[in-house]
Amino acid sequence: MISDIAGFAYDCRNADKLADFYKELLGWKKILSGNGWAGLRSPQGWILAFQEVKEYEPPVWPWKNGKQQQMAHMDFLVENLESGVAHALKCGAKDRNKR
């Protein structure tokens, strides 16, 4: 019987690159790297795993017909949205409004 959820796995093109982004963004410990996988552990014990998929197509936002749409996303708590966005951009997030 399933008793709990250990974490979530996300498909991506480059597992280490995406894990390093979230490591920098969240300050979590990187616990796995290699063979197309990378993973982080939160202070609470949650695991974010990243799995390389050769044919991976990243989602577009806002949604467009005929393009890959997001299937999941993460919501983070921040005390100040403006400084949270600035930190994410500094870590390598992309501002899709400034193309």
Side-chain angles (χ1 to χ4, degrees), residues 17-31:
K17 183 176 180 180
L18 190 54
D20 288 342
F21 167 76
Y22 281 107
K23 178 181 180 276
E24 182 73 21
L25 182 72
L26 302 171
W28 294 2
K29 182 179 180 183
K30 192 170 185 180
I31 59 168

Side-chain angles (χ1 to χ4, degrees), residues 11-99:
D11 294 343
C12 60
R13 285 191 184 149
N14 185 316
D16 274 309
K17 183 176 180 180
L18 190 54
D20 288 342
F21 167 76
Y22 281 107
K23 178 181 180 276
E24 182 73 21
L25 182 72
L26 302 171
W28 294 2
K29 182 179 180 183
K30 192 170 185 180
I31 59 168
L32 173 66
S33 177
N35 295 321
W37 282 88
L40 306 177
R41 184 183 315 268
S42 78
Q44 297 79 17
W46 283 85
I47 295 172
L48 292 183
F50 306 97
Q51 174 185 9
E52 291 179 8
V53 174
K54 185 177 181 180
E55 300 83 14
Y56 178 76
E57 288 291 330
V60 296
W61 181 258
W63 292 352
K64 293 181 183 173
N65 286 336
K67 298 291 183 182
Q68 177 64 37
Q69 297 181 7
Q70 68 180 10
M71 296 179 66
H73 69 273
M74 292 181 275
D75 293 326
F76 298 107
L77 296 174
V78 296
E79 291 183 22
N80 180 293
L81 182 58
E82 196 172 284
S83 64
V85 169
H87 175 64
L89 292 170
K90 183 180 135 218
C91 293
K94 305 280 190 256
D95 185 344
R96 298 295 182 199
N97 294 319
K98 295 182 179 179
R99 289 184 178 198

